[in-house]
Amino acid sequence: DYVERLKSDYSESVVAQYVFGSRDTMIGYRYFDPGALRQQILVEPARVGNLIDGFPKPEWRDQAGGPVRVYEEPYEHDRYVIGGDVATGEGYSWCAGIVLNTTMNRVAAVFDADARPDELAVQLWLLSRKYHGAVIAPERNGIGFSVVTALMQLTGNLFHGKIGDFGTQVGSDTSGWLTDARSRPEMFAECQRHIAKGSVELRDRQLIEQCMAVTMSKRGRPEHEQGFRDDLVMALGIALMVRKLRPELAERTTYITVPTPAMASAAMREASGADQGYGFGRGTKKV
């Protein structure tokens, strides 16, 4: 009876969101283009579990509901960057990390768990090793400094720099990513540009749902709606900003296989019809 009364007293969109818990119906102003988000294709993770230390590469352990969701294995010629958001311990905050394939501009893997900062540091380090030494850009605000400190003891492959006017990089005196009044608006704007144009593949269900729940707060800045999280959105924004600030990470190269001498000899024998190849252009054949 209570549900029926709610359905008769409130609009269809309110009932869909607050009674039936729909993540597809959001009321009010949305920061990210809802239409563009609905066009994002959800992809089931290829693997779910966690990474443990191993040599020369980290070892994988399958685990239902594990903190790491893998959407693609590392490609030899692609480049990757990892954005990390550290849990503050307030509200629904979780530790999060996004592995972004900067060559194809798509999410390759996600770390999403109610974990301690030191656990986040280890997992980001292992993910970096798995994805060809990906650059790690953990948020250094507040408790995030402990993650940066831990990563500095594990690897030197950290993002260095800070943002200037119009999203440009100035200096390199800080390790990790500093989210402040200057960098935060540009970070969300960079996400909005990619989402609106459809130039980034989000893939992860939780990431897309968090993007749908970002609205403009009374303080005049993008924030998550009450009851939702924005950890993955923050990690994505950091990864996209590092991709922007480091243009070499987004370069696409045409890869050509250079023939070895053995391959050339085999091609020569095939072209001349000879069983044995003793040189180039033997006989009447010229190659």
Side-chain angles (χ1 to χ4, degrees):
D1 293 342
Y2 178 59
V3 172
E4 293 301 321
R5 290 199 304 272
L6 292 174
K7 291 169 64 175
S8 62
D9 292 342
Y10 295 95
S11 66
E12 183 178 348
S13 58
V14 171
V15 172
Q17 181 174 353
Y18 293 105
V19 179
F20 294 102
S22 172
R23 302 297 180 99
D24 298 324
T25 304
M26 292 290 174
I27 302 168
Y29 175 75
R30 300 292 111 186
Y31 184 82
F32 298 116
D33 186 352
L37 286 173
R38 283 193 289 268
Q39 292 177 5
Q40 288 283 336
I41 299 175
L42 292 175
V43 179
E44 288 298 321
R47 311 176 77 176
V48 178
N50 57 74
L51 291 165
I52 63 172
D53 196 10
F55 185 83
K57 292 289 186 180
E59 297 180 6
W60 177 262
R61 293 290 185 270
D62 290 321
Q63 181 184 15
V68 180
R69 300 189 287 271
V70 174
Y71 291 94
E72 69 177 48
E73 293 297 324
Y75 290 93
E76 180 180 359
H77 300 295
D78 289 352
R79 300 181 180 184
Y80 299 86
V81 67
I82 303 175
D85 182 69
V86 186
T88 61
E90 300 175 356
Y92 297 94
S93 180
W94 280 16
C95 285
I98 293 288
V99 181
L100 184 70
N101 181 332
T102 59
T103 304
M104 304 304 295
N105 203 21
R106 63 191 180 198
V107 173
V110 167
F111 177 84
D112 183 28
D114 187 8
R116 300 191 310 268
D118 59 327
E119 293 175 323
L120 174 65
V122 171
Q123 286 298 312
L124 294 184
W125 172 57
L126 295 175
L127 283 168
S128 173
R129 290 172 56 195
K130 176 179 175 65
Y131 286 91
H132 305 318
V135 176
I136 308 173
E139 189 177 32
R140 60 177 287 120
N141 298 56
I143 198 173
F145 186 75
S146 63
V147 175
V148 175
T149 302
L151 282 169
M152 290 175 66
Q153 298 176 23
L154 295 170
T155 178
N157 202 16
L158 292 177
F159 173 77
H160 297 274
K162 55 185 179 180
I163 192 172
D165 294 329
F166 306 109
T168 57
Q169 183 175 355
V170 293
S172 58
D173 57 343
T174 58
S175 299
W177 178 266
L178 181 63
T179 304
D180 56 15
R182 174 177 287 180
S183 64
R184 184 184 176 93
E186 182 60 30
M187 184 173 66
F188 274 92
E190 184 70 6
C191 283
Q192 171 67 312
R193 283 190 287 267
H194 283 277
I195 291 173
K197 292 189 298 183
S199 60
V200 62
E201 296 180 39
L202 303 180
R203 291 177 163 183
D204 185 70
R205 179 184 295 275
Q206 292 293 331
L207 172 58
I208 295 174
E209 289 182 355
Q210 289 186 24
C211 287
M212 288 182 174
V214 174
T215 184
M216 291 296 289
S217 69
K218 294 180 180 179
R219 292 182 287 182
R221 69 180 194 179
E223 288 186 351
H224 58 91
E225 192 171 296
Q226 186 175 4
F228 289 82
R229 296 186 291 115
D230 64 351
D231 318 296
L232 291 172
V233 181
M234 296 293 292
L236 173 67
I238 295 171
L240 287 172
M241 283 302 299
V242 174
R243 181 180 186 269
K244 176 184 177 181
L245 297 174
R246 299 280 186 87
E248 69 276 8
L249 292 174
E251 289 179 353
R252 296 193 182 194
T253 307
T254 301
Y255 302 101
I256 302 174
T257 302
V258 179
T260 63
M263 294 167 60
S265 299
M268 283 298 303
R269 288 196 300 272
E270 183 178 352
S272 63
D275 294 330
Q276 298 292 331
Y278 295 98
F280 294 98
R282 183 173 181 269
T284 59
K285 296 279 186 181
K286 292 184 179 180
V287 180

